[in-house]
Amino acid sequence: MPRARRIPRELSIGPFSGTRAVAAGLLTRRMLAGRTWRRVLPDVYVHAAVFDADDHRMWCEAVALKLPPGGAVRGLSAAYLWGVDLLPRDSPVYVDLPPTTRLWRHPRVSVTHHTLEPADITTLSGGIPLTTEVRTGFDLGRRLPRADALAALDALLHHRSFRREALVRYVDAHPGRRGTAQLRELVALAEPLSESPMESRLRLLLHDAGLPRPVPQHEVRTPPDTSATSATSGAPPSAVRGAPRGRFLARVDLAYPRWRIAIEYEGDHHRERAMFRRDVARYNALRAAGWLVLRFTADDVLRQSGQLVHDVRQAIAERAAS
């Protein structure tokens, strides 16, 4: 009985060009038609054992094999490759192509045509051409709906070496582009401490309502015990280097420390039993310390925003008057 032919390693770990593999003598056309391989794009195959329809990087690698010179993965797909996952399931790979080029249509590929400067394109290991971090932020901040754009900028600032100042310089060097006014506004509002897209949306709601800007990811602590330090040094507690900070109680999503108001976004993971128990302990500790905790869900942010803003505004008014 003949032994099964060994599969070359370079063909077993990711997408490859069928034509190139055949030309190199690694496979035959007949072998490519077998069950061992999955055809994902025209002339692009992947080993059936590693095929995953939800693996966006696999799709990016497959598309990269078909991109012409000057083409690059862009937008949310580029952000994903930079470590920021804001993609819905089954999302297409977003690519930019030079205006004069065309690419076959495929449900997993979304094409736009723009002229990218050579400095706007870089290459990841694996040979994927994609827009640089700053160009990715420039595109997302201009092209996405406003709330989605802020969430994308927050996530880029939070996860990567992406710098707000670099994006501002890039915007200044490319005036007049469509959506630049929105981008300039959102760059000023972007917050690297934001930890989820819904937190970004919640913060934008408060901004649009004219409410004060809250402090993100604020640590709440008990009042420090400074009696011993100030007595021995003769200086006021605030002037003592390394003065005690008090016992840590909780870190809240958004806060108005002046009025001791905490604003929390409650995602689905807060329904898990262990998380629920921790939340109860946190909220009891915050209440004992004199903090008011306002808790909001996705439904509040997306469909009851008027009531959400009213609740925050009322809380501030009541606390300010007390």
Side-chain angles (χ1 to χ4, degrees):
M1 184 175 181
R3 291 189 304 171
R5 183 169 179 174
R6 186 179 66 85
I7 297 172
R9 182 180 180 279
E10 59 267 36
L11 304 185
S12 66
I13 59 177
F16 62 90
S17 165
T19 297
R20 295 174 189 170
V22 171
L26 300 175
L27 294 172
T28 66
R29 284 292 174 187
R30 183 177 180 181
M31 293 171 65
L32 278 176
R35 296 181 179 180
T36 304
W37 310 102
R38 288 287 298 267
R39 182 178 179 272
V40 292
L41 295 175
D43 194 42
V44 177
Y45 297 81
V46 67
H47 193 283
V50 299
F51 173 80
D52 181 355
D54 295 329
D55 183 351
H56 195 72
R57 185 183 178 95
M58 180 203 74
W59 287 105
C60 289
E61 291 175 350
V63 171
L65 293 169
K66 307 294 290 186
L67 289 179
V73 175
R74 66 161 180 92
L76 290 174
S77 293
Y80 177 88
L81 294 173
W82 287 122
V84 174
D85 185 4
L86 299 172
L87 289 163
R89 189 175 180 274
D90 296 333
S91 174
V93 176
Y94 296 94
V95 298
D96 256 343
L97 298 182
T100 58
T101 62
R102 293 292 180 267
L103 198 65
W104 28 256
R105 293 186 178 182
H106 192 279
R108 297 303 295 259
V109 184
S110 177
V111 177
T112 54
H113 292 85
H114 296 90
T115 301
L116 293 172
E117 301 170 10
D120 289 334
I121 302 175
T122 188
T123 303
L124 289 184
S125 59
I128 304 176
L130 76 164
T131 52
T132 61
E133 288 177 289
V134 69
R135 176 69 197 214
T136 300
F138 180 73
D139 289 339
L140 293 177
R142 294 183 304 124
R143 298 177 182 175
L144 289 179
R146 190 162 166 267
D148 294 333
L150 180 61
L153 292 175
D154 282 353
L156 283 167
L157 287 169
H158 180 80
H159 284 284
R160 294 293 303 176
S161 57
F162 185 79
R163 293 289 179 265
R164 190 193 314 266
E165 297 77 12
L167 182 55
V168 171
R169 290 194 298 270
Y170 191 95
V171 174
D172 290 341
H174 297 79
R177 300 292 182 90
R178 183 178 180 181
T180 300
Q182 170 179 286
L183 177 57
R184 287 188 182 277
E185 176 204 17
L186 296 182
V187 168
L189 294 176
E191 176 53 66
L193 293 178
S194 183
E195 293 189 344
S196 76
M198 293 304 293
E199 284 184 32
S200 302
R201 288 177 177 272
L202 175 53
R203 215 175 65 251
L204 186 60
L205 281 177
L206 302 179
H207 167 79
D208 288 348
L211 292 170
R213 186 166 182 165
V215 178
Q217 304 305 321
H218 178 70
E219 285 191 359
V220 179
R221 293 178 176 271
T222 60
D225 181 7
T226 57
S227 57
T229 303
S230 57
T232 56
S233 66
S238 60
V240 178
R241 183 184 293 255
R245 298 176 60 199
R247 181 171 57 86
F248 174 83
L249 291 179
R251 182 165 61 93
V252 298
D253 294 336
L254 300 171
Y256 292 117
R258 176 181 177 184
W259 301 297
R260 287 189 288 183
I261 297 174
I263 301 174
E264 291 277 84
Y265 170 71
E266 305 286 354
D268 288 342
H269 65 285
H270 285 269
R271 299 176 184 177
E272 298 172 3
R273 177 173 297 183
M275 178 64 75
F276 177 76
R277 290 175 176 172
R278 287 195 294 269
D279 285 344
V280 169
R282 289 175 66 248
Y283 298 142
N284 285 341
L286 288 167
R287 183 189 58 78
W291 280 72
L292 171 65
V293 181
L294 301 177
R295 303 166 65 186
F296 299 112
T297 65
D299 187 69
D300 297 317
V301 177
L302 299 176
R303 287 173 285 277
Q304 306 292 332
S305 58
Q307 184 63 48
L308 183 156
V309 168
H310 170 78
D311 291 346
V312 176
R313 193 186 305 277
Q314 183 177 31
I316 292 175
E318 291 174 356
R319 286 278 168 142
S322 64

